[in-house]
């Protein structure tokens, strides 16, 4: 029996994001777009900021407009009957897209903010965000049934603005 190796926080959070959210919503995303017929790229844009500092809403970031939500997906999951999943639809410069920011990255931000309690630094935060991104890419590449349903957009905020990275994805 193989021995489990020690993993980092970023790696664990990546798998949690995949197993708790992406593997549920990605297979049905294109069919849940409903009225959003002008979306040409029917992939979920997974937006990751190198700082781990996620805004409350994407509209808080440069020129993004909230357009609405996809049709609801309901399923019994983890002890909840009819748990609901939707994805937000946005636009930037007239281009509509579906996006998500991994909320569990806020755990890393909180750990860095609580440095005295966690002994977790801002430098470790950036390292773990990179590990999160690398592991998430590896997981999704391994899940061939999800090919073409997502696009990971990593924004290194030292070198590129969020808007530049997002617009380059179209």
């Amino acid at each position: 029996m193989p021995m489990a190796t020690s993993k980092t926080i970023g790696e664990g959070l990546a798998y949690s994001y995949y197993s708790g959210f992406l593997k549920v919503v990605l297979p049905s995303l294109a069919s849940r777009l409903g009225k959003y017929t002008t979306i040409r790229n029917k992939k979920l844009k997974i937006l990751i900021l190198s700082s781990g500092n996620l805004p409350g809403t994407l509209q808080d970031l440069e020129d993004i407009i909230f357009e609405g939500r996809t049709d609801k997906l309901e399923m019994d999951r983890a002890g909840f009957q009819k748990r609901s999943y939707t994805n937000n639809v946005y636009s930037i410069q007239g281009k509509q897209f579906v996006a998500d920011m991994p909320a569990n990255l806020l755990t890393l931000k909180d750990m860095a903010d609580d440095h005295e309690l966690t002994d977790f630094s801002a430098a470790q935060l950036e390292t773990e965000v990179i590990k999160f991104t690398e592991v998430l890419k590896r997981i999704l590449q391994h899940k061939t049934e999800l090919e073409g349903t997502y696009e990971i957009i990593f924004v290194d905020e030292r070198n590129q603005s969020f808007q530049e990275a997002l617009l380059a994805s179209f």
Side-chain angles (χ1 to χ4, degrees), residues 63 110 122 140 159:
D63 303 325
D110 288 345
L140 291 172
N159 302 319

Side-chain angles (χ1 to χ4, degrees), residues 55-126:
T57 66
L58 274 183
Q59 308 79 287
D60 294 342
L61 298 172
E62 313 157 35
D63 303 325
I64 295 177
I65 299 168
F66 175 75
E67 299 284 345
R69 291 183 175 80
T70 62
D71 294 340
K72 186 176 5 179
L73 168 66
E74 286 187 341
M75 65 180 355
D76 296 341
R77 186 156 167 85
F80 289 91
Q81 290 184 341
K82 295 191 179 188
R83 181 173 284 210
S84 294
Y85 297 87
T86 61
N87 297 96
N88 291 337
V89 178
Y90 302 94
S91 65
I92 186 169
Q93 295 184 1
K95 297 174 176 128
Q96 286 187 326
F97 62 98
V98 183
D100 188 66
M101 297 181 93
N104 57 1
L105 286 177
L106 292 173
T107 300
L108 297 174
K109 180 78 170 96
D110 288 345
M111 289 177 69
D113 289 347
D114 289 336
H115 174 72
E116 289 182 17
L117 177 64
T118 64
D119 199 30
F120 190 78
S121 69
Q124 287 172 298
L125 165 69
E126 288 188 24

Side-chain angles (χ1 to χ4, degrees), residues 26-27 29 42-45 145-151:
L26 287 177
L29 179 63
K42 300 191 183 320
K43 298 176 183 178
L44 178 67
K45 292 184 183 292
E145 69 276 11
L146 298 177
E147 186 176 334
T149 62
Y150 65 90
E151 179 178 7

Side-chain angles (χ1 to χ4, degrees), residues 43-57:
K43 298 176 183 178
L44 178 67
K45 292 184 183 292
I46 301 168
L47 309 172
I48 301 172
L49 303 178
S50 61
S51 67
N53 191 18
L54 309 179
T57 66

